[in-house]
Amino acid sequence: MSKPMKILCIDDEAMMLNAYKRVFRDESLYSVSIIEQVVGYDFLEELDFDVVICDQRMPGMLGTEILKHLSDLGFHGKKIICSAYADFDDIMNAFNEGTIDYFLNKTWSNQEIRSLVNSFNTDEKPKSTQDNYSIEDVYLLADKAACADIAINIQGETGTGKEVLTRYIHQQSNRRDGPYVTVNCATLTASLFESLMFGHKKGAFTGATQDHIGFYEAANGGTLFLDEVVDIPPESQAKILRALQENVITRLGDNKDIKVDVRVISASAKSILDAVSDGEFREDLMYRLNVFPIKIPPLRDRRGEIKGLLSHYLAKFNYHDDWGEIIYEDGVEDLLTKYNWPGNIRELENTCNYLNVSLNQPLIRRADLPASILNWSEKRVEVEQKAPLESSKKESLEGGEITIEQALEQCGNNKSKAAKLLGVSRMTLWRQLKKMP
């Protein structure tokens, strides 16, 4: 196992420090230290950490000041500042001075902060097996896109690694030394969108006691990642369009244009083209965001990758130093390879973590698998027993054990569900249906 990443968390709120300890509780991967009360900067001289995560506003001290002293001492690890959007002015200055590497809104999710910290482990793209060509194609596209300063739209199901790919593009681009700002568009209501995205002037609304910059301006000189972009409120989409078209923004309550230099990468589980067709998304905004589209295929369409990923994550989460390699009971590895993984790589990673915790020996038996996988397997067996394969009369997909007709019958003629049961994409099923007599 690799050496645990050393992380220092600085915050004056015990609740936040406990949250850090929970999210980084895996001692085989992380070694976490916490500091609740900061008095002076002498403690910085003794620091030996890979990552420092610091709150911005603490009694009598700003996080950016702490990280500046840390930089002056020659600290070469990653520096993350956490704050509410109201502190963007100080944070932007810190970005420009090279004091901090990343900004996280204090409403971060466990997945978001873990993904960011894990990305510091290596600058390389995720490893894949030699049989896996589609994910290599994705990263070849990403390499090309990183070199060209254009808008990118990434589409892929939940758990396929959209944010990991976005961070990879940022790190490979000429904006790698600039800020990287993530916005989950699904959390932005129409009433708050303009203030949060573009900032506001003092007095713009009740409670606006000072000028503040928004997410878009905070990303100036770097990358703005708009996650779940199709969820931008319809009435707010025109404001993003103007920023993309003219490279200018206007803070709420102000009439002065501010020039910005931002590379926008957007992503969503739903296709942005489908969102336009459904009347949920502006077509002109789609063309601005979808200059360079990249689609990450689901794991069920990359089965040649599954065995390699299982080996990687089982070794990564192996908590037992004396176990060595974990092996499978007969038929289990084959079952896991055929499983559809609706949660994609995230589900596979969680499954490997679950198995490492629950196993009593370095052997994975069928009974050890999570209930979701066992239930799926039992349904496959039930379908096979209910309608035996008659190859002369029925069509199957790619030599699979279940026929198209069996899958459609089992799923009440729902083609999306049938495609998942067969382990193929809906488009593949549609093409096969057209070929059938």
Side-chain angles (χ1 to χ4, degrees):
M1 291 183 290
S2 58
K3 187 178 179 181
M5 187 180 296
K6 291 183 287 186
I7 304 170
L8 174 66
C9 304
I10 305 173
D11 202 299
D12 62 311
E13 296 182 25
M15 181 181 69
M16 288 302 301
L17 294 174
N18 288 332
Y20 287 127
K21 286 191 283 188
R22 284 194 302 271
V23 78
F24 298 121
R25 63 182 176 273
D26 188 340
E27 295 182 358
S28 68
L29 300 177
Y30 316 105
S31 173
V32 180
S33 300
I34 62 172
I35 294 180
E36 185 171 356
Q37 294 183 341
V38 178
V39 180
Y41 302 108
D42 292 343
F43 75 99
L44 296 175
E45 298 180 9
E46 304 298 326
L47 290 188
D48 178 24
F49 291 91
D50 300 305
V51 182
V52 174
I53 305 172
C54 189
D55 182 29
Q56 170 65 349
R57 295 212 170 186
M58 293 177 285
M61 190 172 296
L62 294 177
T64 46
E65 295 173 352
I66 294 174
L67 297 184
K68 184 177 187 310
H69 277 77
L70 198 57
S71 297
D72 292 342
L73 290 170
F75 178 73
H76 296 298
K78 297 296 184 180
K79 303 178 291 292
I80 303 172
I81 201 77
C82 283
S83 177
Y85 74 95
D87 300 293
F88 274 176
D89 296 319
D90 296 326
I91 291 168
M92 268 307 300
N93 290 334
F95 266 125
N96 294 333
E97 294 171 0
T99 298
I100 59 179
D101 299 304
Y102 290 90
F103 162 76
L104 275 179
N105 192 291
K106 215 166 182 180
T107 57
W108 49 259
S109 67
N110 290 0
Q111 182 67 28
E112 180 183 13
I113 195 168
R114 244 194 322 254
S115 174
L116 174 59
V117 170
N118 289 344
S119 73
F120 300 151
N121 252 331
T122 177
D123 291 329
E124 298 177 0
K125 66 191 76 173
K127 294 180 174 59
S128 59
T129 68
Q130 61 181 11
D131 295 329
N132 171 26
Y133 299 105
S134 57
I135 198 65
E136 290 294 341
D137 291 339
V138 167
Y139 275 88
L140 284 173
L141 284 174
D143 286 334
K144 294 177 180 179
C147 298
D149 208 24
I150 55 176
I152 301 170
N153 177 253
I154 302 172
Q155 193 257 317
E157 295 179 4
T158 298
T160 50
K162 297 186 291 293
E163 185 169 2
V164 172
L165 182 63
T166 302
R167 292 188 187 280
Y168 175 80
I169 292 171
H170 174 73
Q171 290 167 0
Q172 300 302 311
S173 74
N174 58 8
R175 294 176 177 269
R176 66 179 66 88
D177 295 327
Y180 176 90
V181 178
T182 299
V183 182
N184 187 337
C185 299
T187 65
L188 301 182
T189 61
S191 59
L192 292 175
F193 183 89
E194 190 171 356
S195 173
L196 290 169
M197 188 64 70
F198 303 116
H200 61 258
K201 290 287 289 183
K202 178 181 178 180
F205 51 85
T206 303
T209 58
Q210 57 184 340
D211 295 349
H212 295 297
I213 67 174
F215 292 124
Y216 212 106
E217 195 175 348
N220 196 28
T223 302
L224 177 66
F225 175 41
L226 300 179
D227 196 12
E228 298 303 335
V229 68
V230 297
D231 290 325
I232 293 178
E235 55 268 48
S236 303
Q237 292 175 16
K239 299 179 176 70
I240 284 284
L241 178 64
R242 176 176 179 262
L244 287 164
Q245 285 177 329
E246 303 174 23
N247 294 319
V248 296
I249 61 166
T250 306
R251 293 179 185 174
L252 184 64
D254 197 3
N255 56 12
K256 176 185 174 184
D257 287 343
I258 301 172
K259 281 292 274 187
V260 287
D261 173 25
V262 175
R263 202 262 190 89
V264 175
I265 301 178
S266 57
S268 60
K270 180 177 182 177
S271 165
I272 196 170
L273 299 176
D274 290 344
V276 171
S277 299
D278 294 342
E280 301 168 356
F281 205 78
R282 292 177 62 117
E283 186 174 17
D284 48 2
L285 179 55
M286 179 272 292
Y287 285 122
R288 287 286 176 179
L289 292 170
N290 202 39
V291 177
F292 196 98
I294 299 177
K295 182 172 182 178
I296 305 179
L299 193 53
R300 63 181 174 275
D301 289 349
R302 323 191 317 245
R303 294 194 183 274
E305 185 183 359
I306 293 176
K307 286 186 179 180
L309 286 170
L310 286 168
S311 296
H312 170 72
Y313 285 115
L314 284 172
K316 176 181 177 181
F317 296 119
N318 190 343
Y319 303 102
H320 311 276
D321 294 330
D322 58 337
W323 272 15
E325 183 180 0
I326 297 176
I327 59 175
Y328 302 93
E329 182 182 68
D330 286 348
V332 172
E333 186 178 29
D334 185 54
L335 189 160
L336 291 172
T337 303
K338 291 179 179 177
Y339 177 57
N340 286 331
W341 299 106
N344 294 289
I345 292 179
R346 186 178 300 156
E347 182 186 4
L348 185 146
E349 182 179 1
N350 290 342
T351 297
C352 292
N353 202 352
Y354 164 83
L355 289 170
N356 269 295
V357 172
S358 62
L359 291 176
N360 294 318
Q361 58 184 332
L363 171 68
I364 302 176
R365 302 166 303 170
R366 183 185 181 91
D368 296 321
L369 298 176
S372 57
I373 297 177
L374 292 175
N375 291 340
W376 173 88
S377 178
E378 288 169 5
K379 285 182 180 179
R380 283 178 63 96
V381 172
E382 183 182 324
V383 168
E384 291 166 17
Q385 293 174 341
K386 189 175 181 180
L389 178 63
E390 299 177 20
S391 58
S392 60
K393 297 180 180 180
K394 300 181 179 181
E395 293 288 334
S396 65
L397 279 172
E398 301 174 359
E401 298 173 3
I402 303 177
T403 67
I404 294 176
E405 291 182 8
Q406 290 168 358
L408 288 170
E409 181 184 352
Q410 175 74 10
C411 300
N413 213 37
N414 184 307
K415 293 181 178 62
S416 295
K417 291 182 179 179
K420 283 191 175 183
L421 182 62
L422 289 162
V424 299
S425 68
R426 193 175 185 277
M427 185 59 68
T428 299
L429 174 60
W430 179 79
R431 284 197 296 265
Q432 291 290 330
L433 286 170
K434 288 192 71 176
K435 293 178 184 178
M436 291 174 63

